[in-house]
Amino acid sequence: MPQTKKFIIDFDSTFTRVEALDILGEITLEGDPQKNQKLQAIKDITDRGMEGSVTFRESLEQRLEILKADRSQIDLLIKALKKKVSKSFERNKEWLEENAEDIYIISNGFKDFIIPIVSEFGIKKENVFANDFVYDEQGKIIDFNRDNPLSKNNGKAETIRNVNLDGDIYVIGDGYTDYEIKASGLANKFYAFTENVHRPKVTSQADHIAPSFDEILYINKLNTKFSYPKSRIKVLLLENVHPIAVELLKEEGYQVEVAIGAMSEEELCEKIKNISILGIRSKTNVTKKVLENANRLLAVGAFCIGTNQIDLEECQKRGVAVFNAPFSNTRSVVEMAIAEIIFLMRRFHDKSIGMHQGKWDKSASGSFEIRGKKLGIVGYGNIGAQLSVLAENMGMNVFYYDVVEKLALGNATKMNSLDELLETCDMISLHVDGRKENKCLIDAEKIKKMKPGAILVNLSRGHVVDIPALRDAILSGHLAGCAVDVFPEEPKNNKEPFESELIGLPNTILTPHIGGSTLEAQENIARFVPGKIMEYINTGNTFNSVNFPNIQLPFLKDAHRLIHLHHNEPGVLAKINQVLANYNINIVGQYLKTNEKIGYVITDIDKAYEEDAIEALKSIPGTIRFRTLY
């Protein structure tokens, strides 16, 4: 970094994710019956001081009066703050260490806890300017050094004058006191740091709003360990994705926008421009037209099991990796299948409706135990196999059919054909995927092959069952009942009406696509999908991608990683290596995986490279996408 550039960094809510005195309050007020009220008072005072609506000295006096802390509690505070350093500063620890000479911490906080935190990032003790606690003989904090300019209004500006820094001065902070440095004419730029807190009164005065430290390094063209700042990665999450996913992606430094419902093709075509990561559930269709408008899209996350709503082939052609959550809601779907099988066999649904209508129908007619009955499972994947185990433990005889050879679990019996399964079993539960070949897999002809009085449960895909044929079978009495959670046409949000030919049929359970909608399942999905996407962005790892060759990569250390996605054509790897040889670049590790359409090459190199080398790699015939990681 040029020696003429100096960075002034605030501490509370900037270098750390929290206000230190708020955390000190958690420590000192432990056991106080008025703890919550006092903590809220501290927070309110802090906010008023940060926004400039009360003087800083008043704010400090009021907070210390509530805290009544001592030296031993400062040690506990330091331990807590070490775990609260802002993510983007942690990511750029190496840069901070390398440029420590020109980094200054100027804070209205206290040296007692600031120096132990920032020194671990290489920042020099003499470059830290902050307040000082005053202790009595017992170690209790009784005051602060009132001669320190940082205990007064506009103290940061006065401190800068006293330090007499030369060169360009850039201020990074979240509070009004940070802006005052620029307002006093003592800094070239003020960056409002919003990674942890967004104060409108402060951001309105900023030269630039910085959602992370990565952003500041990027716009100043300084060295950073990331080829592209995470703050520039825009994420769009649709269909009420769980808040955990939102938090994880924000913590990573991404700009995250959330929408409650699904979007039409036209809406998404407009919205997806400049989006790097798209997160959807089952109702949003990612079509070829949508992808044609996606000029920056790196990855799509399906926060569900199915991916038939995504044009996987077009994503592949455009170098867009797709990730889903194949295991996260398995248990939830299986429990729902078991529950619905029991409800249908006992006709609980009709009995309950009757009771709500004032009818007392105490009868065992058409009501059966599930023990000893034959359960047929169509599709023996993650869900089908787990259903098999639970059903057998409840006394059912399990049979299954799958187009792929699958090992039977427990005492389950594999059937050689779908027809054989339908003709044999008392209850059929569908757990197939959404491929086109499965459309109307259970049509009128297949329903006729089912045993008279059998029941059908569909928790898989809406187009798998011929709905008019199912309706006729229920009305004719050929089937004793059905449970359907998925439909060929579904409302895009909770405000649209639901329409179906199955409405009002006897012993028919209809649910609004909630097979995986438990808190546990949604939390599992919300952790799994972002984790895979972030791993792909950060390391190039494609393990668990549904449309890319799967590569599980070692951690990148002391190297540059070159990621090359290309059409699966002969000779591409040779051309990549020839380019590297032409530019005298040594390979320390290389990984290749292909499928029938594309190839994915990861090359780790141990030296800096010329930009011409990157252009040459991008120009190799058949290249779909190229990116670098540091």
Side-chain angles (χ1 to χ4, degrees), residues 562 576-585 587 603 605 617:
L562 310 178
I576 290 172
N577 290 340
Q578 186 59 57
V579 168
L580 297 176
N582 291 345
Y583 285 90
N584 197 30
I585 297 173
I587 298 173
T603 306
I605 60 176
L617 289 167

Side-chain angles (χ1 to χ4, degrees), residues 105-116:
I105 302 294
I106 297 185
S107 170
N108 293 122
F110 290 81
K111 291 178 185 175
D112 308 59
F113 53 76
I114 293 175
I115 289 173

